[in-house]
Amino acid sequence: MSKQEDKKDRRDFLFTASYTVGAVGIGATIWPFIHQMNPDESVKALATTEVDISQVEPGKSITVLWRGKPIFIKRRTPEEIQEAQSVKLEDLPDPQRDEDRVKDGKNEWLVMVGVCTHLGCVPLKDKGEFNGWFCPCHGSHYDISGRVRKGPAPKNMEIPAYKFVNNNTIKIG
Amino acid sequence: MSEHEYVPKSKAGKWFNDRLPLLSLGAHLSDYPTPKNLNYWWTFGGILTFCLITQIVTGIVLAMHYVAHADLAFESVEKIMRDVNYGWLIRYIHSNGASMFFLAVYIHIFRSLFFGSFKSPRELIWIIGMLIYILMMAAAFMGYVLPWGQMSFWGATVITNLFSAIPLVGESVVTWLWGGYSVDNPTLTRFFSLHYLIPFLILGLVVLHIWALHIPGNNNPVGIDIKKPSKDTVPFHPYITVKDIFALLMFMIIFAGFVFFSPNVLGHADNYIPANPLVTPAHIVPEWYLLPFYAILRSVPDKLGGVILMFGALFVLIILPWLDTSKVRSAVFRPMYRQFFWIFVVDVLALGYLGAMPAEGIYLFLARIATTYYFLHFIVVLPALGFVEKTDPLPASISEPVLTGGFGAVPARSDKIINETK
């Protein structure tokens, strides 16, 4: 290898090494400026909510706030459960059995995120053509299981992660 | 400004450049002929640009989390420090960044004073620079108020009360500044608004500052006029960009040292106590970069007199190009000015020290002497020197002292490197 080539190789190495270190440094500097916009630990700490449901009468519902979103907690009557379970899956845009949307043995309780899956509005209760919820923004109809039946919404209303702490309390998140 | 018209090579580039000559501007900035003997004191312009951008970027981030309200501001700053992801880092960069900004600007200003960069034909560059400096002080002061700690509150009270010294309308002016009968929520919200505005005014002035610089071109350590482009110049890129980046990296090491190892050393512990309108801290001083002016203010035993003298200290700086009567720019060829320059540096440092000390006894006495000398330097020494000083002979070109082995060994070396790479 000639002296000239040797010099060239060394220069290439120095360039590559400098650019690499520079790129890593710039990346490490940029990350805090991006990450600062993510939810911080104090926001994450509020990610679970416990709700007392002992006062909810059959056929009534309450709305609680979880992560800044409304959660509908509906205590359904036996007729409503019957209605939800009897719907044929092929009639649903987003096929899902009612049994899969409630907890085993607790199928009178429907717990779901009260946000329309179209563009995020909050649907109105006891409205619409399917005896469930109706979104006033763009006219999506949901049934008594919170499944979309008609309108532009692509999916059923979301079921959050939750569990029964005891018969009177559920923990969302 | 460049001798030849720049023509983009690609068709799309030409199409674009004919309509908006951004590529021509880029070519001008890249080819811009720069004196080849610029030393490291000339790298602070680039460093200051970095400081401004750092303050703007970190400031925009902080404004996403900060709440400009008297009841919530302190809490929101604590939330930034404790909860917001990397909030501590971004706030420490911003608060120490202000100090680093002033450190760099003082070096930049004293470089101009030493090498006579403010003299004809660069007076406007100097004046725009001084306007930037004054806006920097305003921005720094208002930014310091935002955390709404004890120093914030009482600093704001003291500085706004300066305007009460104005005869007849003083009290009304201060009430107007406060939006009430004391520093309170309306004061905080307007300070926040202005603190967000001023950096963008500075950015605009920086563009003018650089534009005005690119008309005559850079001054240089020898201080003589040079032909551009010629043997005395090198293209800005890559010669100056590489030198600027190297100096910037050194500067960033010091900057990072403050941010990571002693982020509060330049601040006051009292500002971690929430603002309390009923109790003034025992010892109230401004941030270090404002201390010389604070010393001047306190050295006058009269309210209006002190305020006038403090603003006068800035005014003499603005009219400096007409106070310094010497035809020779660089202190390298001015044996007497060189001495007075260093005396002036010591004088300003002394004012800074005295501004941090209690205004009593020997400190007050020394501050009065230093203040007197500050004005003597501008009003008596500089105008007189132009007439009495016998300056050293100037070289005909930058290359001349290099080739005869005189002033400046560094350019000689860089010459050799240029020849080797050819």
Side-chain angles (χ1 to χ4, degrees):
Chain A
M1 198 182 272
S2 74
K3 215 178 166 194
Q4 200 65 36
E5 271 178 53
D6 198 31
K7 225 175 172 178
K8 196 166 159 285
D9 283 351
R10 191 175 64 185
R11 176 158 294 200
D12 284 348
F13 171 77
L14 286 172
F15 270 131
T16 311
S18 308
Y19 287 141
T20 309
V21 170
V24 170
I26 289 169
T29 310
I30 288 175
W31 173 241
F33 289 86
I34 295 170
H35 191 44
Q36 53 89 14
M37 283 169 73
N38 279 324
D40 64 38
E41 296 302 322
S42 71
V43 175
K44 287 182 188 165
L46 298 176
T48 61
T49 304
E50 287 202 6
V51 186
D52 177 10
I53 52 171
S54 58
Q55 305 300 316
V56 184
E57 301 285 331
K60 299 289 178 191
S61 69
I62 57 171
T63 305
V64 297
L65 201 64
W66 174 69
R67 284 185 177 175
K69 286 177 186 166
I71 301 293
F72 294 159
I73 302 173
K74 166 107 181 167
R75 186 172 187 178
R76 302 184 293 184
T77 58
E79 300 81 62
E80 286 172 333
I81 298 168
Q82 176 65 34
E83 183 191 332
Q85 288 177 346
S86 64
V87 176
K88 287 196 210 112
L89 284 186
E90 52 264 36
D91 292 343
L92 297 171
D94 180 18
Q96 196 178 22
R97 296 189 315 138
D98 183 62
E99 290 84 341
D100 295 336
R101 293 175 60 77
V102 295
K103 299 285 180 199
D104 277 342
K106 297 278 186 188
N107 60 11
E108 66 174 337
W109 293 102
L110 175 67
V111 179
M112 65 182 178
V113 179
V115 173
C116 179
T117 56
H118 181 220
L119 292 171
C121 295
V122 177
L124 305 169
K125 65 180 173 185
D126 305 327
K127 288 260 163 56
E129 297 170 16
F130 296 89
N131 192 26
W133 287 265
F134 171 71
C135 181
C137 289
H138 306 96
S140 293
H141 298 256
Y142 295 89
D143 66 15
I144 196 61
S145 185
R147 295 172 295 196
V148 64
R149 302 296 291 273
K150 196 178 167 186
K155 285 194 154 82
N156 304 334
M157 277 194 268
E158 188 192 338
I159 305 296
Y162 72 96
K163 64 181 180 200
F164 283 85
V165 179
N166 54 47
N167 278 337
N168 290 332
T169 314
I170 58 168
K171 185 177 171 186
I172 307 167
Chain B
M1 275 153 273
S2 42
E3 302 299 310
H4 55 91
E5 250 334 278
Y6 170 77
V7 182
K9 286 190 188 76
S10 74
K11 217 175 163 190
K14 198 174 173 305
W15 181 90
F16 185 89
N17 204 50
D18 286 346
R19 283 150 184 82
L20 182 64
L22 273 185
L23 297 170
S24 288
L25 177 66
H28 160 74
L29 293 175
S30 170
D31 300 342
Y32 172 64
T34 318
K36 67 180 179 183
N37 60 340
L38 295 189
N39 55 37
Y40 275 105
W41 300 115
W42 259 264
T43 59
F44 283 86
I47 287 171
L48 284 162
T49 311
F50 165 81
C51 287
L52 178 61
I53 291 167
T54 303
Q55 291 306 87
I56 289 178
V57 171
T58 52
I60 287 170
V61 167
L62 289 173
M64 293 179 188
H65 304 284
Y66 172 76
V67 183
H69 187 282
D71 296 338
L72 304 168
F74 190 88
E75 289 291 312
S76 74
V77 172
E78 285 307 303
K79 187 173 167 58
I80 289 169
M81 295 303 289
R82 291 154 195 257
D83 287 346
V84 173
N85 300 321
Y86 292 107
W88 59 273
L89 176 63
I90 292 161
R91 174 160 178 262
Y92 278 152
I93 293 175
H94 195 73
S95 58
N96 284 283
S99 282
M100 299 314 290
F101 205 158
F102 275 97
L103 175 67
V105 93
Y106 281 128
I107 294 173
H108 194 63
I109 290 171
F110 277 109
R111 189 270 291 156
S112 178
L113 293 179
F114 187 85
F115 294 106
S117 303
F118 57 87
K119 285 167 183 271
S120 171
R122 298 185 181 81
E123 303 95 322
L124 274 182
I125 310 173
W126 171 262
I127 290 171
I128 293 166
M130 281 299 120
L131 294 179
I132 293 171
Y133 175 49
I134 291 167
L135 283 179
M136 275 174 65
M137 290 195 281
F141 159 65
M142 292 188 198
Y144 195 59
V145 174
L146 302 184
W148 212 240
Q150 273 290 68
M151 278 294 174
S152 301
F153 184 88
W154 293 101
T157 302
V158 169
I159 299 297
T160 47
N161 263 315
L162 290 178
F163 295 92
S164 69
I166 301 169
L168 301 174
V169 293
E171 288 299 327
S172 325
V173 167
V174 173
T175 306
W176 175 74
L177 286 173
W178 287 339
Y181 300 101
S182 66
V183 173
D184 207 338
N185 194 51
T187 328
L188 176 60
T189 49
R190 67 190 58 181
F191 275 21
F192 178 60
S193 173
L194 294 174
H195 182 70
Y196 208 120
L197 166 72
I198 290 174
F200 295 97
L201 297 181
I202 293 177
L203 190 63
L205 285 174
V206 166
V207 171
L208 295 184
H209 193 63
I210 295 171
W211 186 2
L213 169 70
H214 280 230
I215 302 299
N218 288 73
N219 183 34
N220 64 80
V222 185
I224 55 171
D225 290 323
I226 53 169
K227 282 203 200 74
K228 293 168 302 223
S230 71
K231 270 181 94 173
D232 281 346
T233 66
V234 289
F236 190 83
H237 183 75
Y239 296 99
I240 305 297
T241 43
V242 164
K243 189 165 182 159
D244 274 0
I245 288 171
F246 179 73
L248 178 62
L249 286 174
M250 295 299 112
F251 183 81
M252 285 162 80
I253 289 172
I254 299 168
F255 194 152
F258 276 108
V259 169
F260 289 103
F261 295 105
S262 53
N264 288 307
V265 73
L266 297 169
H268 299 288
D270 277 327
N271 221 28
Y272 284 102
I273 302 169
N276 181 354
L278 301 177
V279 184
T280 306
H283 189 50
I284 182 157
V285 278
E287 294 287 82
W288 68 268
Y289 38 79
L290 301 174
L291 286 173
F293 297 104
Y294 194 57
I296 292 174
L297 169 76
R298 294 193 309 182
S299 68
V300 187
D302 174 75
K303 188 173 176 179
L304 180 60
V307 173
I308 289 175
L309 223 56
M310 192 181 75
F311 284 105
L314 285 169
F315 181 70
V316 289
L317 275 170
I318 292 173
I319 60 167
L320 173 64
W322 294 276
L323 292 175
D324 188 331
T325 51
S326 177
K327 294 275 178 287
V328 175
R329 291 195 194 101
S330 175
V332 170
F333 303 101
R334 298 183 62 189
M336 288 175 77
Y337 174 70
R338 206 156 59 222
Q339 318 271 341
F340 283 110
F341 171 82
W342 289 111
I343 295 172
F344 179 69
V345 171
V346 171
D347 187 59
V348 172
L349 291 176
L351 279 171
Y353 170 75
L354 295 164
M357 293 296 118
E360 56 197 25
I362 184 74
Y363 297 123
L364 186 57
F365 176 70
L366 290 174
R368 284 177 179 164
I369 293 180
T371 299
T372 310
Y373 185 77
Y374 180 96
F375 285 97
L376 276 181
H377 177 83
F378 285 103
I379 294 166
V380 178
V381 175
L382 289 185
L385 273 187
F387 299 102
V388 301
E389 184 178 46
K390 188 177 181 314
T391 56
D392 295 339
L394 292 172
S397 73
I398 292 174
S399 303
E400 186 192 305
V402 172
L403 296 175
T404 52
F407 173 79
V410 178
R413 244 192 357 252
S414 60
D415 252 10
K416 212 170 125 222
I417 293 162
I418 294 163
N419 289 334
E420 262 180 14
T421 50
K422 268 174 193 167

